[in-house]
Amino acid sequence: GQQLNQSPQSMFIQEGEDVSMNCTSSSIFNTWLWYKQDPGEGPVLLIALYKAGELTSNGRLTAQFGITRKDSFLNISASIPSDVGIYFCAGLLASGTYKYIFGTGTRLKVLA
Amino acid sequence: DGGITQSPKYLFRKEGQNVTLSCEQNLNHDAMYWYRQDPGQGLRLIYYSQIVNDFQKGDIAEGYSVSREKKESFPLTVTSAQKNPTAFYLCASTPRGDRGRNEQFFGPGTRLTVL
């Protein structure tokens, strides 16, 4: 099945630093979703994006829907230890189906 | 309290046995999904249903079966034909009617282990 290219795969950062990650594809999407997943738990929806160029924030998190509709970015500002986990993106293809395509995830570790 | 429930949280099965994973949602969502998650891999779609009494195969449907007799319920059966069933299974739902709101919400997951 199709998957989104998500990078980086993992990152270690110091507490207080900003974090950026992105998802890219050759396909066009009409929705981008960003999730955080803790070990052994279901993913939690962080941000939903619906329009090309849209920039949406949720606390310290900011995500953008790429202008080409083929990519999306997530930024976390001033990271804290509880930000640790796996973040992944999901896109809903613009082709009319209701199938979501998922990124492989970015594992974030925050060093206090 | 609205949401998606999956039961049980942990499930153990002997080889050759069928097992059914439960998924219930009270969000009034039309579409429901089953995914499989393996270590180091992204979510893979098993089956999805956009409306009651209708469902479609996803990318890895072999060895699995589903039913959608009620809007709020979408059980997944892992059959003995599934060669490598040990995995973390996630159920999700989406409001389908308004294409402007396509958030997908997940349940807490069921970890299936075949002994």
Side-chain angles (χ1 to χ4, degrees):
Chain A
Q2 187 178 357
Q3 287 191 329
L4 296 169
N5 300 313
Q6 185 170 349
S7 65
Q9 282 189 318
S10 63
M11 52 195 317
F12 289 80
I13 61 169
Q14 293 286 338
E15 184 177 359
E17 287 185 346
D18 297 343
V19 175
S20 292
M21 61 192 76
N22 69 82
C23 283
T24 62
S25 174
S26 57
S27 301
I28 293 175
F29 296 90
N30 61 20
T31 297
W32 282 96
L33 307 173
W34 283 93
Y35 294 89
K36 179 177 185 281
Q37 186 177 24
D38 293 325
E41 303 294 329
V44 175
L45 181 64
L46 301 173
I47 292 179
L49 302 160
Y50 299 105
K51 296 179 182 178
E54 179 181 354
L55 188 70
T56 297
S57 293
N58 178 9
R60 294 179 294 106
L61 278 62
T62 301
Q64 185 164 24
F65 195 135
I67 196 70
T68 65
R69 298 174 65 192
K70 295 180 179 181
D71 55 10
S72 181
F73 305 85
L74 176 69
N75 296 310
I76 305 173
S77 63
S79 57
I80 59 177
S82 62
D83 289 335
V84 68
I86 298 176
Y87 294 81
F88 61 88
C89 61
L92 181 63
L93 289 168
S95 60
T97 70
Y98 271 85
K99 290 175 64 174
Y100 293 77
I101 311 299
F102 291 86
T104 50
T106 294
R107 184 180 298 273
L108 179 64
K109 296 188 179 182
V110 180
L111 307 174
Chain B
D1 193 23
I4 303 171
T5 58
Q6 291 186 243
S7 60
K9 180 70 172 175
Y10 300 95
L11 189 56
F12 297 88
R13 185 195 95 177
K14 293 182 179 180
E15 277 192 36
Q17 290 181 338
N18 293 353
V19 63
T20 298
L21 281 59
S22 168
C23 178
E24 303 278 333
Q25 55 97 1
N26 61 4
L27 301 167
N28 199 33
H29 287 174
D30 288 297
M32 297 186 73
Y33 303 75
W34 275 105
Y35 297 94
R36 170 180 172 140
Q37 188 174 39
D38 294 285
Q41 296 193 34
L43 297 178
R44 292 187 290 169
L45 180 64
I46 304 172
Y47 269 97
Y48 66 108
S49 168
Q50 297 186 42
I51 197 168
V52 174
N53 292 322
D54 187 43
F55 49 83
Q56 290 78 41
K57 292 182 178 180
D59 301 316
I60 57 166
E62 185 176 353
Y64 299 97
S65 66
V66 293
S67 63
R68 186 83 187 279
E69 297 177 0
K70 298 185 297 182
K71 185 176 184 178
E72 58 270 22
S73 179
F74 192 40
L76 173 73
T77 296
V78 184
T79 75
S80 56
Q82 168 51 233
K83 299 303 180 187
N84 186 21
T86 295
F88 190 50
Y89 290 88
L90 287 161
C91 178
S93 70
T94 304
R96 178 178 177 271
D98 178 0
R99 285 191 65 88
R101 306 295 297 181
N102 296 317
E103 298 104 333
Q104 181 161 91
F105 297 93
F106 285 87
T110 291
R111 182 164 298 280
L112 173 64
T113 302
V114 175
L115 305 173

